[in-house]
Amino acid sequence: MENLIKKLVYAFGPSSKENSVKEIIKEEISKEVDEVYEDNFGNLVGHIKGPNKSLMLAAHMDQIGVMVTNIDKNGFLRIGSIGGLRKSFLVGQKILFEGGVEGFVYYENKESPWEAKDQKLEKFYVDIGATDRTSAKKLVQIGTEGIYKPSFSANGTRITAPALDDRIGCAVAIQLLKNLRRKKIKYDLYVVFTVQEEIGIKGAKVSSYDITPDIGIALDVTDAGDTPESPAISLALGKGPAIKIMDAGMIASKKIRTLLIDTAKKNKIPYQLEVLTGGTTDAAAIQITKTGVESAAVSISTRYVHTPGETLDMTDVENAVKLLKKFIEK
Ligand code: CO
Ligand code: ZN
């Protein structure tokens, strides 16, 4: 599974530019499902036909990023954010732009960046090594998208990479499809790899409207509260997948979360309960489709979400696959 995750985190995929991620996933799942299709908005759907109620799983392919907003006469770029970029992590980072150009992020020099109190995004700039505007424009344009330069490291069961939000959800979904035993699947199963989650859970909205499932489950990352002096979040790495009760965008269906908890207990799969006061997932969009869909989420506790150092524990990932497999099979 580690190789799959590595492949996924090295793919370029800020919101609306998910194609390279999609190509990898298509190849991984095509043999595992009855049909693979894309909708007009760009969501990728793997469908395993089944007799009963329909279940939609959603994992988002996109990642947070930046977009070039201005190129000055000396060739320095200014950037806007795609999704919830955390500005305080920007200085000193390498950005990889679409097309392969790399740049280094710094802060206007009147104040040292580490002393600057006013960290307005317009004060950050990216140096791509261009000597002037003309040479810069040969490499990037206004509107070119960029991401934190991909990297991947593993130490024991812990892995660190930018874009684990939500390539890890994609990896869980792919691995689940590989592990499911066809004859035992008790749902009409739609596994949706969504686009544009980070800019307003958009892909899930249209996909859920199209599919109108009976049940929806999002697979995504959540925060962890197990770092030095961290806020009081009751989630920790390695304690099992998190079954969502609530986040800033939804209260999970009591019926579905209870079913998930019972499945975990019955199969002795470790799990944690998630209550998160900030952020949400695709499940919040699925839940309010048409007349309402019973929705829940299975999350992977992750440290430093939306930074280049997103860190999680692989045992949680493996247990999430197990839990979902047991949930879906009879
Ligand atoms: Co996110
Ligand atoms: Zn996410």
Side-chain angles (χ1 to χ4, degrees):
M1 208 176 173
E2 200 172 293
N3 278 332
L4 170 65
I5 295 166
K6 210 187 263 181
K7 236 198 305 184
L8 289 168
V9 299
Y10 272 92
F12 184 88
S15 307
S16 93
K17 292 284 168 70
E18 297 90 350
N19 266 342
S20 3
V21 186
K22 202 185 295 182
E23 288 312 310
I24 295 168
I25 297 173
K26 252 190 223 167
E27 183 148 343
E28 292 286 338
I29 68 166
S30 58
K31 282 197 211 108
E32 319 293 339
V33 295
D34 296 324
E35 52 168 349
V36 185
Y37 60 91
E38 270 177 61
D39 62 26
N40 292 338
F41 200 56
N43 297 299
L44 180 73
V45 184
H47 180 204
I48 298 179
K49 290 172 188 155
N52 295 315
K53 287 192 166 187
S54 55
L55 167 64
M56 171 176 168
L57 298 182
H60 67 91
M61 295 186 283
D62 63 317
Q63 67 192 107
I64 57 158
V66 300
M67 186 180 277
V68 178
T69 55
N70 189 54
I71 304 171
D72 75 15
K73 63 180 194 310
N74 296 316
F76 294 107
L77 317 180
R78 297 296 167 137
I79 48 174
S81 87
I82 298 170
L85 196 72
R86 295 192 186 176
K87 292 185 291 277
S88 44
F89 297 98
L90 268 174
V91 164
Q93 294 301 328
K94 284 255 182 89
I95 298 290
L96 172 66
F97 289 98
E98 186 177 21
V101 180
E102 284 179 26
F104 183 72
V105 187
Y106 212 69
Y107 191 82
E108 288 180 3
N109 274 355
K110 242 181 243 167
E111 304 166 84
S112 308
W114 45 90
E115 282 164 6
K117 282 191 195 79
D118 170 26
Q119 296 215 328
K120 287 215 181 84
L121 193 53
E122 40 292 14
K123 300 209 172 189
F124 293 79
Y125 63 87
V126 187
D127 188 338
I128 54 171
T131 48
D132 55 26
R133 185 184 282 137
T134 314
S135 66
K137 279 191 161 173
K138 286 179 184 146
L139 304 170
V140 294
Q141 306 297 324
I142 303 298
T144 298
E145 295 186 16
I147 56 171
Y148 284 129
K149 188 184 173 183
S151 64
F152 178 90
S153 56
N155 188 8
T157 58
R158 300 281 163 95
I159 62 169
T160 300
L164 283 173
D165 174 13
D166 186 29
R167 302 295 152 72
I168 203 64
C170 296
V172 166
I174 294 166
Q175 193 60 47
L176 175 70
L177 284 171
K178 290 179 197 274
N179 292 4
L180 278 171
R181 290 165 297 179
R182 280 294 183 103
K183 284 184 182 148
K184 303 212 161 190
I185 297 173
K186 65 176 175 187
Y187 293 103
D188 191 26
L189 179 65
Y190 292 85
V191 179
V192 185
F193 299 90
T194 62
V195 295
Q196 301 191 33
E197 189 269 356
E198 295 290 0
I199 56 169
I201 50 178
K202 287 171 182 279
K205 232 170 251 177
V206 302
S207 179
S208 178
Y209 186 85
D210 180 30
I211 294 166
T212 318
D214 295 303
I215 302 168
I217 298 178
L219 314 173
D220 210 332
V221 301
T222 186
D223 282 337
D226 61 350
T227 51
E229 304 292 328
S230 69
I233 296 168
S234 70
L235 296 162
L237 270 54
K239 298 252 168 81
I243 297 168
K244 193 186 295 290
I245 296 177
M246 185 181 87
D247 63 25
M250 73 178 255
I251 295 173
S253 152
K254 179 118 194 259
K255 193 164 131 197
I256 306 305
R257 70 182 203 241
T258 307
L259 265 174
L260 283 163
I261 291 167
D262 291 347
T263 307
K265 278 183 183 157
K266 207 170 124 198
N267 295 284
K268 299 197 167 63
I269 300 165
Y271 70 95
Q272 322 178 55
L273 295 177
E274 174 194 356
V275 176
L276 198 68
T277 51
T280 193
T281 70
D282 279 341
I286 300 171
Q287 187 180 44
I288 51 168
T289 303
K290 294 187 185 169
T291 57
V293 175
E294 300 269 15
S295 299
V298 172
S299 320
I300 306 295
S301 295
T302 302
R303 294 176 182 163
Y304 328 122
V305 173
H306 287 192
T307 80
E310 294 179 340
T311 296
L312 55 80
D313 196 299
M314 280 303 294
T315 62
D316 295 335
V317 178
E318 283 148 17
N319 283 317
V321 175
K322 260 189 222 166
L323 173 63
L324 291 158
K325 180 176 149 76
K326 293 287 182 194
F327 182 85
I328 292 168
E329 290 181 353
K330 236 176 205 122

